[in-house]
């Protein structure tokens, strides 16, 4: 990869300390690369073991984070949407932007391990899902082992997580950059993802809605917002037409997850909306979103703005 981030977080040598950005670690994950591509040396990078760890660590000391939201091959990142259900999102923490990154997976092993030796393949569940065709064709009998991240899968090959784990019979699906970060690993196969356009979209999150995001280059994407909707807990089904009519803003996507607060089979919905034509000013777009949420509340729908960007 070009502009590969270093294994250790960057630190400021100047008078003013750089703001911290939390990512799904360890160093070498796609989250780390995507963050570095957009923020470069403008932030101090802090790795967390899980996506939940990124969310939970957001604070005045760790004001920014990056989380994977969706992959073009394997769909929405369930862990991210489960976390977006939490009340702290939209109250303390907010989505402040987005970035897309093409994902090229590789099969990585300890040096001198051959493909016929591999009995177990480790990676994040999203990466395993993005490489189904390769796994079916080359490693149909291998067991698939989910890990917290792609880079933690690579690291496990060098630091076995248990006594019964045999790193000489295992491989990791991850980025080629891990071979420069973790000596002792080598790439066995490259570009093993399903399809040539495999891309992951990430949300940029922050602690507080007003803190300035330190982009390396300010993005120029279409204005968007994310709204969480919790229908009436006593209703049998969600009347989507009522919500869409009250919202009266173009909707680009609707996601749903089981509601943690309601009775069985009641869901919480996530509506991502956008400014039609993209000509609205930041202030006008902010007002439009908040007015739409007020209309939803007047229609009896519990609604929260999770982010405007």
């Amino acid at each position: 990869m070009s502009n590969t981030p270093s294994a250790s977080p960057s630190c400021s040598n100047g008078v003013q300390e750089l703001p911290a950005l939390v990512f799904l670690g360890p160093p070498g994950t796609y989250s780390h690369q995507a963050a570095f591509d957009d923020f470069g040396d403008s932030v101090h990078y802090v790795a967390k073991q899980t996506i939940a760890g990124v969310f939970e660590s957001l604070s005045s000391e760790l004001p920014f984070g990056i989380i994977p939201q969706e992959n073009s091959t394997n769909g929405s990142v369930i862990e991210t949407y489960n976390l977006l259900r939490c009340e702290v999102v939209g109250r303390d923490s907010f989505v402040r932007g987005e970035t897309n990154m093409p994902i090229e997976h590789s099969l990585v092993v300890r040096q001198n391990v051959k493909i016929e030796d591999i009995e177990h393949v480790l990676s994040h569940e999203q990466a395993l899902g993005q490489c189904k065709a390769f796994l079916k064709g080359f490693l149909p009998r291998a067991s698939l082992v989910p890990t917290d991240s792609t880079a933690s899968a690579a690291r496990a090959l060098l630091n076995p997580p248990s006594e019964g784990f045999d790193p000489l019979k295992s491989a990791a699906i991850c980025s080629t950059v891990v071979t420069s970060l973790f000596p002792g690993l080598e790439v066995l196969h490259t570009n093993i993802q399903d399809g040539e356009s495999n891309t992951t979209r990430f949300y940029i999150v922050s602690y507080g809605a007003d803190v300035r995001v330190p982009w390396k280059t300010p993005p120029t994407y279409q204005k968007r917002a994310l709204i969480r909707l919790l229908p009436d807990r006593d209703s049998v089904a969600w009347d989507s037409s009522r919500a869409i009519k009250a919202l009266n803003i173009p909707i680009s996507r609707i996601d749903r997850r089981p509601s943690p607060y309601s009775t069985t089979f009641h869901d919480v919905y996530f509506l991502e909306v956008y400014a039609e034509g993209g000509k609205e000013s930041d202030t006008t777009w902010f007002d439009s979103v908040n007015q739409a949420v007020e209309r939803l509340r007047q229609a009896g729908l519990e609604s929260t703005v999770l982010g405007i960007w």
Side-chain angles (χ1 to χ4, degrees):
M1 292 184 185
S2 60
N3 298 323
T4 301
S6 61
S8 58
S10 60
C11 300
S12 172
N13 294 320
V15 175
Q16 186 174 3
E17 186 178 349
L18 294 174
L21 184 144
V22 191
F23 67 94
L24 174 62
T29 60
Y30 296 105
S31 292
H32 189 199
Q33 181 69 57
F36 187 81
D37 287 347
D38 274 6
F39 296 97
D41 295 325
S42 67
V43 296
H44 165 71
Y45 296 94
V46 178
K48 294 295 176 179
Q49 186 175 348
T50 62
I51 296 173
V54 172
F55 259 116
E56 293 165 359
S57 67
L58 289 174
S59 63
S60 56
E61 291 76 28
L62 301 173
F64 302 105
I66 184 170
I67 53 172
Q69 176 259 334
E70 181 187 27
N71 177 264
S72 60
T73 301
N74 206 48
S76 300
V77 180
I78 298 302
E79 184 179 359
T80 292
Y81 278 95
N82 283 344
L83 292 163
L84 289 172
R85 299 179 301 179
C86 300
E87 291 182 353
V88 294
V89 186
R91 186 190 68 195
D92 303 329
S93 304
F94 299 86
V95 179
R96 300 292 306 283
E98 64 183 87
T99 187
N100 294 339
M101 179 179 171
I103 303 296
E104 296 181 356
H105 290 302
S106 295
L107 190 72
V108 171
V109 296
R110 281 178 60 153
Q111 290 177 354
N112 301 318
V113 171
K114 308 300 181 187
I115 195 163
E116 55 267 24
D117 301 329
I118 298 171
E119 298 179 2
H120 313 284
V121 179
L122 291 70
S123 197
H124 189 275
E125 61 181 2
Q126 273 281 333
L128 293 172
Q130 293 164 31
C131 301
K132 291 179 180 177
F134 174 86
L135 293 170
K136 182 178 180 181
F138 288 85
L139 294 164
R141 294 182 177 84
S143 64
L144 307 183
V145 184
T147 57
D148 290 328
S149 70
T150 54
S152 65
R155 189 169 60 182
L157 299 179
L158 297 173
N159 301 295
S162 64
E163 291 185 4
F165 178 81
D166 188 348
L168 300 180
K169 293 183 179 180
S170 303
I173 294 176
C174 51
S175 166
T176 56
V177 73
V178 300
T179 59
S180 63
L181 298 176
F182 306 138
L185 300 180
E186 65 182 13
V187 176
L188 206 56
H189 284 272
T190 59
N191 293 325
I192 65 172
Q193 68 279 353
D194 298 340
E196 296 180 358
S197 60
N198 189 45
T199 300
T200 294
R201 183 184 188 223
F202 298 85
Y203 278 154
I204 307 302
V205 293
S206 73
Y207 183 75
D210 299 324
V211 59
R212 187 185 70 83
V213 180
W215 301 100
K216 184 169 60 176
T217 302
T220 57
Y221 43 66
Q222 190 174 40
K223 288 180 172 60
R224 297 182 182 274
L226 183 64
I227 299 168
R228 183 176 62 217
L229 239 174
L230 187 63
D232 186 346
R233 303 181 189 189
D234 297 325
S235 64
V236 177
W238 180 48
D239 184 358
S240 58
S241 62
R242 181 162 63 108
I244 292 171
K245 182 178 180 181
L247 189 65
N248 197 28
I249 292 180
I251 302 171
S252 58
R253 62 179 296 138
I254 299 176
D255 295 270
R256 70 173 185 173
R257 295 298 298 149
S259 172
Y261 312 113
S262 298
T263 55
T264 305
F265 297 121
H266 276 62
D267 297 318
V268 56
Y269 293 83
F270 302 94
L271 280 61
E272 193 169 302
V273 299
Y274 64 95
E276 196 166 20
K279 296 180 180 179
E280 295 192 43
S281 67
D282 290 346
T283 302
T284 303
W285 177 233
F286 181 88
D287 291 341
S288 295
V289 173
N290 282 286
Q291 289 166 10
V293 167
E294 184 57 34
R295 289 194 297 271
L296 289 169
R297 291 170 180 164
Q298 290 174 0
L301 298 164
E302 185 179 327
S303 309
T304 304
V305 178
L306 303 187
I308 301 176
W309 66 97

